Amino acid sequence: MKLHYEVPGDDFTRAGDASGDVKRRLKRLGFPPDVIRRAAIAIYEGEINMVIHAGGGTADIEIMPDRITAVLSDNGPGIPDVEKAMQEGWSTAPDNIRALGFGAGMGLPNIRKYSDSLNIDTAVGKGTTLTITVLANPAQQ
Amino acid sequence: MTINDIKNLLNATVVSGHQLLDTEVHNACGSDMMSDVLAFVKDQSVLLTGLVNSQVVRTAEMMDMVCIIFVRGKEPSEEIINLAADRGIVLMKTSLRMFPACGILYQAGLRG
């Protein structure tokens, strides 16, 4: 199953539409609760990042029996220092975003924590593409 | 304890999800930072927060939480209420501040 979502950059309240929809679909498909939660959180953090930093983007999700793959792409400013961005607590989010409960520098670290693989393809001035994979049954892979 | 027990302990008002008050809950967390809830919370079913926006409901949804309690008398908007109702999450509000609200629930047996 392939799903495509537009993540609007100008409406913070809609961040979570894509991950919420994916979560409900995975539930209906009978994936284990832990797998559903990990995939939903990773995609949700990605959505939040695209809204905060990149003016929105797209989310393409592929659901296979053994894995969920999410490709999150934006045309934002890119990440100048990926190593720093992966450090817990390091954030470039402005104060108005912190006031909304985000921007604690946990976004990318959380995505890495909850996924089985994370690939970051980013270029300053061009944008960022995250490829996130969550395995449906990691112990057996 | 049930969500209804929490309501009584915190002298809280139920904003939405009245039909779910008999739901059993065993643990909770308190935070105004949703990033931290997503990072550190595991299997907690109740969220106490002073933050009022729709991402609180989104975060609770992602974490499979069943009840959100707004502390410090915070009022959720219609949009937040509708989103929570759609997701089957109980919303409550209490005039208590975060620390006493958490303390009361902890003393009554709810764990972190």
Side-chain angles (χ1 to χ4, degrees), chain A residues 19-65:
Chain A
S19 44
D21 188 60
V22 170
K23 184 168 194 211
R24 287 186 290 279
R25 285 172 186 271
L26 293 174
K27 234 180 220 177
R28 282 201 294 273
L29 289 166
F31 279 85
D34 174 60
V35 172
I36 296 173
R37 189 191 292 187
R38 290 194 298 118
I41 293 171
I43 299 168
Y44 179 56
E45 288 278 21
E47 274 184 273
I48 293 281
N49 269 351
M50 287 196 283
V51 174
I52 293 176
H53 297 291
T58 57
D60 287 280
I61 317 295
E62 186 174 20
I63 302 172
M64 307 277 280

Side-chain angles (χ1 to χ4, degrees), chain B residues 77-98:
Chain B
S77 67
E78 199 67 30
E79 185 180 22
I80 297 171
I81 295 168
N82 291 340
L83 187 63
D86 184 60
R87 302 298 194 265
I89 296 171
V90 178
L91 288 191
M92 293 199 277
K93 58 180 182 178
T94 175
S95 58
L96 289 171
R97 294 179 186 185
M98 179 72 92

Side-chain angles (χ1 to χ4, degrees), chain A residues 45-122:
Chain A
E45 288 278 21
E47 274 184 273
I48 293 281
N49 269 351
M50 287 196 283
V51 174
I52 293 176
H53 297 291
T58 57
D60 287 280
I61 317 295
E62 186 174 20
I63 302 172
M64 307 277 280
D66 65 335
R67 70 188 59 215
I68 299 117
T69 306
V71 179
L72 310 179
S73 290
D74 67 60
N75 298 313
I79 305 170
D81 190 334
V82 173
E83 202 176 312
K84 264 192 183 168
M86 292 306 298
Q87 287 173 14
E88 289 189 6
W90 193 86
S91 175
T92 57
D95 284 348
N96 65 320
I97 294 300
R98 291 172 206 266
L100 293 169
F102 291 91
M106 298 304 293
L108 284 173
N110 264 356
I111 295 173
R112 183 172 57 185
K113 173 180 167 185
Y114 289 111
S115 63
D116 291 294
S117 82
L118 165 64
N119 183 66
I120 303 173
D121 184 9
T122 187

Side-chain angles (χ1 to χ4, degrees), chain B residues 14-67:
Chain B
V14 178
V15 181
S16 73
H18 294 82
Q19 74 281 10
L20 300 167
L21 294 185
D22 290 335
T23 308
E24 278 281 342
V25 291
H26 302 286
N27 38 38
C29 75
S31 180
D32 289 352
M33 192 47 109
M34 294 304 107
S35 297
D36 282 349
V37 174
L38 290 164
F40 300 115
V41 168
K42 197 174 187 297
D43 295 328
Q44 270 80 356
S45 43
V46 178
L47 172 62
L48 293 95
T49 186
L51 184 72
V52 186
N53 65 44
S54 56
Q55 297 309 328
V56 174
V57 179
R58 305 275 195 184
T59 299
E61 179 191 9
M62 299 305 155
M63 305 305 286
D64 298 313
M65 292 171 153
V66 294
C67 177

